[in-house]
C-alpha cells in the first residue's frame, strides 16, 4: 500500500473550507440530492517543502443535500464547507470526497465570459484537522 503523504492518514476525514470549480452537472442541476465532480486549483509557494507542484489541480467528488434548490451548473465556482475524506490510490495519489454541509455557487451563467471575468478568483482551500502533522521539514 502507498505511504500517505503530508501526514494525513489514509481514510481519515478533516474539515474543509474553500472554493472549487464544478466539472460535472446532474441532469437536474437543482435536484435535492446532488452528486458531482469538482476540481480544487492549488497554487503553492511551498512546493519545495510540501512536495506539491506550484500549480496543481486535485479532483474531488462532492455529495450535497440541496435543500434550497440552488442550481449547480458545470463550470460554476462554488464556495464549500464540509467534511473532506482523504484516501489514496495504488499509486499514492490522493482521492478526495467532500460531504458538504454548505455549498454556495457563484451566481450567473458559467458558460459566459462575463462570469469568469466577474469571478472573485480561485483561492487555496483551507483544511482543518486534528492530529500531528509530519513531513513538513521546517528549520
Amino acid at each position: 500500500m502507498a505511504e500517505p503523504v503530508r501526514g494525513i492518514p489514509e481514510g481519515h476525514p478533516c474539515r474543509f473550507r474553500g472554493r472549487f470549480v464544478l466539472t460535472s452537472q446532474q441532469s437536474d442541476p437543482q435536484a435535492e440530492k446532488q452528486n458531482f465532480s469538482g476540481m480544487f486549483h492549488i497554487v503553492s509557494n511551498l512546493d519545495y517543502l510540501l512536495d506539491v507542484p506550484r500549480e496543481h489541480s486535485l479532483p474531488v467528488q462532492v455529495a450535497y443535500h440541496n435543500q434550497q434548490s440552488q442550481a449547480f451548473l458545470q463550470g460554476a465556482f462554488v464556495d464549500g464547507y464540509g467534511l473532506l475524506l482523504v484516501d489514496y490510490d495504488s499509486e499514492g495519489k490522493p482521492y478526495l470526497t467532500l460531504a458538504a454541509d454548505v455549498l454556495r455557487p457563484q451566481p450567473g451563467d458559467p458558460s459566459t465570459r462575463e462570469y469568469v471575468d466577474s469571478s472573485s478568483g480561485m483561492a487555496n482551500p483551507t483544511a482543518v484537522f486534528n492530529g500531528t502533522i509530519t513531513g513538513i521539514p521546517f528549520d
Side-chain angles (χ1 to χ4, degrees):
M1 177 163 30
E3 181 71 22
V5 294
R6 289 178 287 293
I8 301 176
E10 181 177 351
H12 283 60
C14 60
R15 295 300 299 172
F16 167 84
R17 177 177 58 96
R19 177 170 268 215
F20 58 94
V21 64
L22 296 183
T23 57
S24 72
Q25 174 182 319
Q26 292 186 177
S27 57
D28 178 3
Q30 292 182 295
E32 184 175 347
K33 195 172 189 180
Q34 291 284 335
N35 290 290
F36 41 72
S37 301
M39 190 72 69
F40 296 128
H41 298 292
I42 299 171
V43 178
S44 173
N45 291 323
L46 297 175
D47 52 331
Y48 65 97
L49 291 176
L50 303 177
D51 194 28
V52 174
R54 185 168 293 274
E55 294 184 13
H56 188 71
S57 295
L58 285 174
V60 61
Q61 295 300 309
V62 181
Y64 181 60
H65 184 71
N66 187 16
Q67 295 175 342
Q68 297 170 340
S69 298
Q70 299 179 93
F72 292 96
L73 303 173
Q74 186 170 350
F77 295 108
V78 178
D79 292 312
Y81 304 86
L83 190 64
L84 185 67
L85 181 66
V86 181
D87 278 316
Y88 297 86
D89 65 17
S90 60
E91 297 175 1
K93 294 181 182 177
Y95 178 82
L96 307 177
T97 305
L98 177 62
D101 299 326
V102 176
L103 293 180
R104 293 188 182 104
Q106 177 179 307
D109 182 356
S111 65
T112 64
R113 183 72 190 159
E114 293 80 19
Y115 183 87
V116 176
D117 291 343
S118 68
S119 169
S120 57
M122 296 294 290
N124 286 333
T126 299
V128 180
F129 52 95
N130 296 320
T132 303
I133 301 173
T134 60
I136 303 177
F138 288 110
D139 291 334

